[in-house]
Amino acid sequence: MPAMHYRLRWPDGSETLCYSPSLIIRERFRAGESHPIAPFVQQLREATGIAEERVMAKYGFVCSRASDQLSEVVSTAQRFETWPEARIEIVSFEDIAT
């Protein structure tokens, strides 16, 4: 199963390199797009759920790294809840060689 990294840029300019065990993130988002924080987090929850289902179907267990990554993004997003019009940008995608 192809895994990937995706880089997010937060409203304060900081960046986070994130992990997904499937390419679903690239199917749902595009590099260079920016999104309001709350809708982005909701879409990321849905995409992570799909990724976990794909891993479960192939390997018989979920990817704890994917759920840990989602928790980290949600935690970071909470820092910006009070920022008016805060947006998160999808900077890039990178396939992980297996």
Side-chain angles (χ1 to χ4, degrees):
M1 174 166 287
M4 63 174 294
H5 284 121
Y6 56 102
R7 184 173 299 278
L8 302 176
R9 183 173 298 129
W10 297 95
D12 65 358
S14 64
E15 294 186 0
T16 303
L17 182 64
C18 302
Y19 170 82
S20 175
S22 85
L23 302 180
I24 186 67
I25 304 301
R26 188 166 42 214
E27 294 170 16
R28 294 284 180 104
F29 302 103
R30 300 285 176 258
E33 289 180 340
S34 70
H35 301 268
I37 302 288
F40 173 80
V41 169
Q42 180 57 38
Q43 289 179 352
L44 186 62
R45 283 183 197 280
E46 293 169 8
T48 300
I50 292 168
E52 289 178 336
E53 289 171 9
R54 290 178 179 180
V55 171
M56 176 62 88
K58 184 165 185 169
Y59 298 109
F61 55 86
V62 295
C63 177
S64 61
R65 186 173 174 192
S67 57
D68 290 347
Q69 183 65 74
L70 177 60
S71 294
E72 180 184 330
V73 169
V74 169
S75 177
T76 303
Q78 289 173 341
R79 294 188 351 226
F80 301 103
E81 286 179 339
T82 61
W83 289 41
E85 301 185 37
R87 298 180 72 83
I88 185 167
E89 180 183 352
I90 298 90
V91 177
S92 62
F93 298 105
E94 179 184 325
D95 294 340
I96 299 173
T98 55

